[in-house]
Structure formats: C-alpha cells, structure tokens
Amino acid sequence: MKKVIEVDEIRTVFGTKVVHDGVSLSISEGEIYGLLGPSGCGKTTLMREMVMLQEFQSGSIKVLGKKVNTISHAEAQKLRKEWGVLFQAGALFSSLSIYENIALPLIEYTDLSEKMIEEIVRFKIDLVGLKSSDAYLYPSQISGGMKKKAGLARALAMDPKLLFLDEPTSGLDPISAREFDKLILNLRSMLGLTIVMVSHDLQSIYDTLDKVAIIDNKKIAYEGTLAEVTSVKSEFIENFFGEEQV
Amino acid sequence: MDNLLRIETNNGINSLNFFGELTLYTITQYDKTLTTHSFEQENKKFVFDLNGLSFLDTAGALFLEEKITHYKSLGFMCTIDTDKEQFLQTLALVQKWSNREESFPKPVQPSFLERVGELFVSYYVGFMGFMSFFGQLVFTKMHYLKSLKNIRYKEIAFEINEGSIKALGIISLTSFLIGLVVAYQSAYQLKIYGANIFIVDMLGLSILRELAPLMTAIVIAGRSGSAFTAQIGAMKITQELDAMRTMGFDPYIFLVMPRIIALMLMMPILIFIADIMGLLGGMIIASIDLNITIDLFLDRFREVIAAKHFFIGLVKGPFFAFLIASIAIYRGLQVKDDTQSIGFNTTKSVVESIFAVIVCDAVFSIIFTNLGI
C-alpha cells in the first residue's frame, strides 16, 4: 500500500538530552496509526517534526512524498493544506468564534462564496457532532470536549488526506472519549483519511488503532499491529499492555 | 505533654507509652518529650508501646521509624508493641518506601565562572535571536511587498483601532499635563528675568521636537507594546501559533506585520495630537501665569518656531513605532510554555522598548544637530 509518511533514522537532541536516536517508521494510506510510549519519550516531538513545527538533527521525514527537512516554502505551504492537525487542547483561535475558526482556512485559501463556505462549515460542525447553535460561541465559552470537536472540525475544513491528532481523548470524560473514538473511526471510513495519533488512552488505543509504533528509550521498541505487541520485551509494553494478558 | 507520651523505666527497659493521635500535627510534641527525657546508658532496651495510640499516620510512622533507627545506632534494642493491624501496616509501608541511604540528588551548583559564561552566552543567544527575528521580519516584508494582495488590511485596521485610536485619550491627557507642568515650572524662572514671552520659544521647541514624541512613545510602549507581548505570548502557550503554522498561516504575516505597520502608520498622528495637547496646556499656563494671551502666544509661535521642528518630531514617530512593536512582538514570541514567562517577557518588553526609544532619540538628536536642523 502507498506510504503516506516515512520516517527514516531520525535523531533529535534538546540541549544535552537525546530524545530520538535513530527512529524509523512508516505509515500507509488509510491506516489509523498510533504513536505510543512512556511520558517524555518524544511521541509529541516526533509528531511536531512531521508537521514541520520542530527541527531535528539528522535523518529524514517524508510526508505525502515530500521531504520536510529540505522542502521549499511553496511546497511546504501546499503540504500544509493537505493535512489537518488537532492539538491537545484544541488550539482554537481565541479571538474568533467556532464558525470563524472553521471558516478561516476556507476564506484564506479558496475563492468560495460566503454561502458555500457557510454550507461547508455547517456540514463540518454536524460531522463532528457539535450543535449548530454552538457555531457563534467563542472558544472561552465552550467545554474542553467541545473545543476538541471544534478543533477537529477546523482540521477537517480543507478535506485533508492526513490527520494528526495529539492525545485526542485526554481530558475527556469516558463517554465523550468513546464517542470521539467512534467519530474517528467513522471519519476514516467516510473520508478515507490516514490518521496519526499520539494517545495514552488504552481503551481508545484498542478501539481505534490499526498499527502502533512504540517509542521507548530513544528508539522504536515495536512497530506493527496491536495483536502482536506483547511479543516484544520492553518494560513499557509490559506495564502498559500487561494487564490485558492476565 | 506528659499525657501524650509517658516514659517509664523498670527492669532495665525503657517503655515509651504513646497516647492520643500521632500525626503530622502532633509529632513535635512527642518529639519534645522524647528528646528532653534523659535515658540512662545501662538501660539497653526500648519498647515503643503503641497500644494507647488511637491514630497513626504515615508521617507519625516515619517519625517512629527514624527514632528507632536513631536509638539502634546508639546501641539500644528497640521493639514495637502494638496489636493494631492498621499500625503495623502503616509502619511496614513506611519501611518499604523509606530509603535512607539515598537523599534527593542535589542539583549541581555551577561555579562562578560557569555562571558568568552562561550569562554571556544567554545574552549572545538573545541578541542572535533578535537578529534572526529581525531577518525574518525583513524577509517577510520583502515577500509582503511583492503583492498588495498579501497585505492584511482588516488586521491592520483592527490593530490601528486597538493599539492607537484607543490610546488617544491617555496620550492627550499625559501630553496636556506635561505641557502644563513644563510651562508652570519655567514660568516661575522666566518671570524673574522678565522674559515672559520666551515661554513660547521654549515650549514650542521642547514639545514639538522632544517631549511629544517621547511621551507618546513611552505611553504606547507601556500600553500597546505590553499588550502585543501578552497577546502573542498567550497565543504561544495555547498553541495557537503552532496551529497557525500547521495550517500554513505565517504568524509573521498574520500577527507581526499588521501590528508593526499599524503602529508605524499611527505614531505620527498620535504625536501630532500630543503636540496639540501639550501646547494647549502650555498656552493655558502662559495666559494665566504670565499674562500672555492666546493670540499673542500664537503670533509669537508663528514667528519663532519653524515648521521643521514639527516635522522632526513627526519623523521620529515611525522609527519609535517600529522599535516598540518589533521588540514587543519579539518578546511575545520568546514566551516559553509557562505562565510566569508571560509576566517576565512583558516586563522586559516595556523596559527594553522604552530604552530603545530613548537611545534612538539620542541618536536622532546627534544626527539632527550635526546636520544643522
């Protein structure tokens, strides 16, 4: 299957602290791919490197066929329109309403009419399970779960092929978290998205992920399906997936 | 505190009978009784009798544990006497997790030389950071000027209103008061020499050339500069800047340039208002205190104050504005992922931009004097 993201021998160093030392993985089209690992292992850092928010010392990352470390400004701008990113706390623009947040990329990047944009925004709001009455609220007026949904709607505004989710279910109550999982699965089957996510939520990991990469001790400890994850010896894997085996 | 801890010695055994609740709040009372009591050396055995104790928390258990180790190291025998399962569990828990050999690793204190070196490196890095910000700014500006379509008119208009129009009130008031005060102070001196009419020359020159531009810049640095830093800093903490970048919205185009352009456009206008208000304040004092009527003041003003002084004041505006806005925004972008650094950077932003404005003013002063204007 076509590779959407290829990470090759990444090395990341913060000051004197080595975060990644030769991390490689590849993500195929249509997969829901999870980055797992203990706190501070550099999952989020790796994801930030994929979306060009963070530089790395050596190695290469290819996203949708483009090498992000040597990409030109114009190509980078093009790439940025092809993915959506959901940040941990939503990262909605606080000076804009939910509607304006979702409409912003459409207004900036397309020449669609106002009516068409409204139509699209309404559809995205419905898609993620927000009420249309929430559209004109500001980010400070809505709950954490709604912020995540609104953030997801914004990430989906441009119909991306690739979606990055940073701990999508953290800070949600269990019911909303399961709803969010269902939403992600639905989106994948409806829109054919490739989804990369960082997660700590075991239930969500079992419910949604097709493939995982476990980063432990600066390297990939395991890459593959969840079914075989316990075949690998690693303290993190034993602690994290251990109880399921008993 | 004898009712909490009773110490009895018979048959060579020191029995410590604990009563009450041994918790965080009462430990010191037990400790006082225990340390003030003098034990005889020949009594080699301690019995900690906890049967009278009604409650023991982990801090209390740690205290007992520590005492036992202490007495053991002095060569005493120690036993604990209790039949409460709960106490034994707490004691076992404490024994399991307390690790006396290893204390917390102390962070290594850098030596004096290291600290000096670090300080200089941090200044150097800070300076290079500002230079790279500046480079990015110029680069973006070039990019920006390639097409008028790139200019964010809406954002600029918004920033003009937020950063400048809303500052009109406070700028008018400050410069009015400055005009008033300067006139009032000099009126007293001028009266002595009977040189009343020269108040016009003095006020005209000082307000138009120096006071109005400086006061405006200082008020704007304190008011709008700090707001820029705090806004952008907060956006950084909430990852809004990251979100913008991943969506392909360059923060330099969306946030930085509109603020800088808005302030550079508006500063001369603000200075103009400050000129008017400052001179108005001076005129009022001149007519009350020195009997120089408004008409006389204006006649003399037209006669002695050349228009160049007014323009010199205005010309400084965009330069001051650029310094204030770019330092404020740079400081905003420097904010780290904690709330404390918003406060730190906002303070820095105001202090540095006022300092930069004054340095810039001094440079202008030298240039204009040497050019003979």
Side-chain angles (χ1 to χ4, degrees), chain B residues 223-346:
Chain B
R223 188 194 166 282
S224 311
S226 59
F228 290 172
T229 309
Q231 279 165 1
I232 291 179
M235 289 181 80
K236 194 165 176 190
I237 289 186
T238 55
Q239 289 191 307
E240 281 176 52
L241 291 184
D242 285 346
M244 289 183 77
R245 288 201 182 96
T246 58
M247 291 164 83
F249 302 149
D250 188 352
Y252 279 83
I253 290 178
F254 278 72
L255 300 175
V256 179
M257 293 309 287
R259 284 176 167 78
I260 292 180
I261 290 176
L263 211 53
M264 284 176 77
L265 282 178
M266 287 307 286
M267 201 67 157
I269 296 171
L270 291 176
I271 292 175
F272 179 49
I273 306 273
D275 285 343
I276 295 173
M277 295 307 290
L279 287 172
L280 188 69
M283 257 190 298
I284 290 172
I285 291 297
S287 69
I288 293 173
D289 220 22
L290 299 172
N291 295 322
I292 296 172
T293 59
I294 306 280
D295 283 336
L296 184 57
F297 190 100
L298 289 178
D299 277 344
R300 171 81 185 166
F301 192 82
R302 202 175 302 138
E303 226 169 85
V304 292
I305 304 295
K308 69 175 182 185
H309 301 302
F310 168 70
F311 288 115
I312 282 174
L314 287 201
V315 159
K316 292 175 181 177
F319 290 91
F320 290 174
F322 179 77
L323 285 173
I324 293 168
S326 58
I327 289 174
I329 292 162
Y330 168 71
R331 279 289 154 199
L333 293 171
Q334 286 303 102
V335 169
K336 302 268 172 349
D337 286 345
D338 58 294
T339 44
Q340 213 183 355
S341 79
I342 291 195
F344 173 79
N345 278 297
T346 310

Side-chain angles (χ1 to χ4, degrees), chain A residues 223-244:
Chain A
E223 189 189 7
T225 58
L226 270 170
E228 290 152 34
V229 70
T230 43
S231 65
V232 183
K233 270 207 132 17
S234 148
E235 198 187 344
F236 170 74
I237 294 175
E238 273 159 36
N239 283 336
F240 199 69
F241 295 100
E243 303 109 284
E244 289 289 315

Side-chain angles (χ1 to χ4, degrees), chain A residues 48 51 53 73 77 80 83 85 87-88 91-94 104-105 108-109 154, chain B residues 139 143 152 155 235 238-250 254:
Chain A
R48 288 173 62 87
V51 295
L53 284 177
H73 181 75
Q77 284 298 95
R80 287 186 180 115
W83 68 41
V85 184
F87 288 88
Q88 217 177 98
L92 296 167
F93 302 129
S94 42
L104 186 66
E108 291 298 326
Y109 289 134
R154 186 181 66 184
Chain B
F139 177 78
H143 206 68
R152 318 272 324 164
E155 274 82 358
M235 289 181 80
T238 55
Q239 289 191 307
E240 281 176 52
L241 291 184
D242 285 346
M244 289 183 77
R245 288 201 182 96
T246 58
M247 291 164 83
F249 302 149
D250 188 352
F254 278 72

Side-chain angles (χ1 to χ4, degrees), chain B residues 17-33:
Chain B
N17 299 301
F18 288 82
F19 297 98
E21 295 186 345
L22 179 52
T23 64
L24 275 177
Y25 307 104
T26 54
I27 284 176
T28 37
Q29 295 167 18
Y30 289 99
D31 195 35
K32 213 187 269 166
T33 324

Side-chain angles (χ1 to χ4, degrees), chain A residues 16-36:
Chain A
T16 53
K17 190 171 172 258
V18 180
V19 182
H20 304 128
D21 188 12
V23 167
S24 305
L25 51 86
S26 66
I27 300 168
S28 308
E29 202 170 7
E31 268 177 350
I32 301 186
Y33 193 98
L35 297 170
L36 315 180

Side-chain angles (χ1 to χ4, degrees), chain B residues 121-135 330 334:
Chain B
V121 167
S122 76
Y123 281 139
Y124 176 72
V125 169
F127 178 73
M128 292 315 273
F130 186 73
M131 284 293 127
S132 101
F133 167 79
F134 196 75
Y330 168 71
Q334 286 303 102

Side-chain angles (χ1 to χ4, degrees), chain A residues 3-5 62-66 79 82-83 161-162:
Chain A
K3 296 275 182 262
V4 177
I5 296 179
K62 254 190 196 175
V63 180
L64 297 166
K66 310 255 166 48
L79 192 55
E82 292 179 44
W83 68 41
K161 298 175 191 148
L162 182 57

